[in-house]
Amino acid sequence: MYDAMAAVYDELMYDVDYEGWFNYIEEIFDRYGKRPKSILEMACGTGNLSYYLARKGYDLTCFDISNDMLSVAYNKLKDFSNVTILNQDMTEFNILKKYDCVISICDSINYIIDKDELVNTFKRVKDHLKDDGIFIFDINSHYKLKNIIGNNIFVEDREDVFYTWTNSFDEDENIAEFYLTFFIKDKNGYYKRFDEDHMEKAYTVEEIIDLLKKAGFNKIDSSDFLTFNTPKDISERINFVVLV
Ligand SMILES: C[S@@+](CC[C@H](N)C(=O)[O-])C[C@H]1O[C@@H](n2cnc3c(N)ncnc32)[C@H](O)[C@@H]1O
């Protein structure tokens, strides 16, 4: 999973506007009348959203399953006294604290391939939320994984990284598999090769709602990413807002 890629993750995500994403999350808080003080961020990766949450002064706990990703996050977050960084697995985390808000962004939820494990994740979220808590997450849509990313090959040629992204989509299991090959330039100018295999499950909006309900949530809104509009058949990223 996210091993060698951690070192180049931020360079590969150069076109993702994390500050805009942070503003969208704050707009959600406003629309839902929430003023959270404590936030738990699941699958924080290299801490790109965490940085803006920390800077705003939230009491932030963030975790990920990859130590390589967390060590990059640590460098961004080490000067904030309001941040705790942990290594935990979304499907079975236990932090012994309740939060005003739980967040997970950038399709991390698609990495949970098994439906029972996703229900477990949602149950763990519910157990970590206060009575008036809010849970915000997004997924890569079924449409995007099947028709745009799956069965496709991407090549990216950047200053210090060259990589190919060879994908397949399993229509029976609704799983997109990404086979990534990186050539990363070291300080002597030599390129070193790394390979990683990632998988994302393509969930429909209805499946996610059903699994949230199985975990005990009933107030569930979904919208086209960065809007508050109902998702369309061709929406590529879908945002969920779930209230306790
Ligand atoms: C696409 S990255 C998103 C990272 C970050 N949220 C961002 O916005 O850049 C997916 C992240 O999910 C993490 N992840 C995958 N499965 C996980 C699990 N079961 N528990 C915790 N983190 C997980 C990966 O290590 C990776 O950092």
Side-chain angles (χ1 to χ4, degrees):
M1 275 240 298
Y2 280 87
D3 303 322
M5 188 179 171
V8 290
Y9 183 83
D10 286 350
E11 189 172 346
L12 301 180
M13 299 297 270
Y14 67 94
D15 56 347
V16 177
D17 175 10
Y18 282 100
E19 188 169 15
W21 210 321
F22 164 76
N23 290 333
Y24 176 54
I25 283 163
E26 292 229 302
E27 198 184 336
I28 293 172
F29 293 157
D30 283 346
R31 288 220 177 196
Y32 285 81
K34 301 290 180 188
R35 291 274 171 276
K37 290 192 169 51
S38 56
I39 297 182
L40 174 65
E41 188 191 355
M42 305 193 297
C44 63
T46 59
N48 288 331
L49 174 70
S50 332
Y51 169 79
Y52 290 103
L53 296 169
R55 198 177 69 168
K56 187 68 187 277
Y58 290 108
D59 169 11
L60 178 68
T61 303
C62 46
F63 73 76
D64 200 276
I65 203 170
S66 157
N67 276 336
D68 292 302
M69 296 294 267
L70 286 173
S71 70
V72 180
Y74 173 77
N75 284 327
K76 269 177 216 148
L77 301 169
K78 61 183 185 310
D79 294 332
F80 293 100
S81 58
N82 50 326
V83 180
T84 305
I85 302 174
L86 302 171
N87 183 318
Q88 297 259 341
D89 179 338
M90 282 190 283
T91 64
E92 55 182 24
F93 67 99
N94 191 1
I95 301 177
L96 303 174
K97 181 176 167 180
K98 288 192 186 270
Y99 295 83
D100 299 315
C101 173
V102 177
I103 294 184
S104 184
I105 70 156
C106 203
D107 51 270
S108 304
I109 291 293
N110 294 94
Y111 277 79
I112 302 172
I113 302 298
D114 182 83
K115 284 187 179 175
D116 291 336
E117 291 207 331
L118 188 50
V119 174
N120 278 346
T121 302
F122 290 155
K123 282 185 181 163
R124 301 312 305 132
V125 170
K126 192 156 188 289
D127 285 350
H128 286 78
L129 276 171
K130 292 185 189 166
D131 288 344
D132 58 349
I134 181 168
F135 174 32
I136 301 168
F137 67 95
D138 61 82
I139 56 166
N140 267 334
S141 70
H142 192 285
Y143 167 79
K144 180 181 179 186
L145 287 173
K146 183 176 173 195
N147 301 295
I148 298 181
I149 300 188
N151 292 323
N152 216 336
I153 297 176
F154 300 91
V155 176
E156 181 91 28
D157 185 1
R158 297 189 54 76
E159 179 78 17
D160 295 327
V161 189
F162 178 90
Y163 85 100
T164 59
W165 198 24
T166 309
N167 305 335
S168 59
F169 189 79
D170 179 334
E171 301 221 7
D172 295 326
E173 299 293 332
N174 287 308
I175 291 175
E177 187 164 2
F178 318 138
Y179 187 72
L180 298 131
T181 299
F182 301 94
F183 291 89
I184 302 177
K185 203 192 231 173
D186 68 16
K187 57 181 186 311
N188 300 316
Y190 294 110
Y191 284 84
K192 191 163 178 195
R193 175 176 172 165
F194 300 95
D195 296 282
E196 284 194 19
D197 207 5
H198 291 212
M199 280 195 272
E200 289 200 11
K201 173 92 172 178
Y203 291 103
T204 63
V205 172
E206 293 72 28
E207 280 174 323
I208 292 284
I209 292 173
D210 181 50
L211 300 178
L212 282 163
K213 286 186 175 166
K214 284 198 169 109
F217 287 111
N218 289 302
K219 297 176 202 159
I220 304 159
D221 288 334
S222 59
S223 56
D224 214 357
F225 182 54
L226 295 180
T227 77
F228 292 89
N229 304 328
T230 307
K232 300 188 250 336
D233 290 345
I234 55 159
S235 297
E236 294 185 24
R237 184 175 298 283
I238 296 164
N239 197 69
F240 289 84
V241 177
V242 183
L243 301 179
V244 174

